[in-house]
Amino acid sequence: MTHLKNYMASAIVAVLSLISVHSLAQPAVKLASASGHPGDDVELAVQAQGFGQITAAQLNIDLPQTLTYVENSAALSQEVASASHQLQVTQTGNQLKIYVYSLQLDVMKNYQGKLLTFRLH
C-alpha cells in the first residue's frame, strides 16, 4: 500500500510539473524565410507560438538599409488573431514596428500559427 501511495505522489508531481512548464511557456514569434530578386517585393509571414492568453503584441524588426516596408501590405491572419484584433505597421528608420491589438481586450484565438504577413521592397 505504501508503494502505491509513493507512486501516486510521484504521478501527481509529474503532472503538476508538466502543467506548470506549459503555463510558463513564453510567447514567441518567428519570421518565415523568404527570397527574391533585387527590386522584387517579398512577402514575409510572422509565425506565433505561445499566444494562448495574449491580447496584444508589439514586434520590432530591424531591417537592412536596402529594404523598406510596402505601405498597406500587412494583413492579419485569422489563424491566430480574433476578428476584433487590429494591425498597425510603421517604419522608423531601419526599424519596422508592428502592433497587433484588440480594443475589446480579446485574447488571440489560437495558441500558434500564422499571425500576419507583410511585404518588403
Side-chain angles (χ1 to χ4, degrees):
M1 187 68 161
T2 304
H3 182 9
L4 182 58
K5 287 181 183 177
N6 288 340
Y7 176 78
M8 288 299 291
S10 297
I12 290 171
V13 168
V15 169
L16 289 176
S17 67
L18 287 175
I19 291 171
S20 64
V21 167
H22 178 70
S23 66
L24 293 176
Q26 295 294 315
V29 293
K30 179 176 82 170
L31 284 174
S33 63
S35 62
H37 299 288
D40 287 351
D41 286 355
V42 176
E43 184 170 279
L44 293 168
V46 175
Q47 299 290 331
Q49 184 172 0
F51 273 41
Q53 295 299 311
I54 302 293
T55 59
Q58 176 183 342
L59 310 173
N60 295 334
I61 302 170
D62 291 327
L63 299 176
Q65 295 290 338
T66 57
L67 293 176
T68 58
Y69 169 67
V70 176
E71 288 294 322
N72 301 317
S73 67
L76 272 177
S77 168
Q78 295 304 309
E79 193 174 320
V80 175
S82 72
S84 71
H85 279 89
Q86 298 177 27
L87 177 65
Q88 180 182 357
V89 180
T90 59
Q91 183 173 353
T92 305
N94 69 331
Q95 190 170 70
L96 191 63
K97 296 181 180 187
I98 301 172
Y99 304 95
V100 179
Y101 58 93
S102 168
L103 294 176
Q104 292 82 17
L105 298 178
D106 291 339
V107 296
M108 301 288 180
K109 70 179 187 179
N110 280 333
Y111 184 73
Q112 65 184 19
K114 184 176 11 175
L115 177 62
L116 60 96
T117 59
F118 63 92
R119 290 193 331 255
L120 298 175
H121 181 80

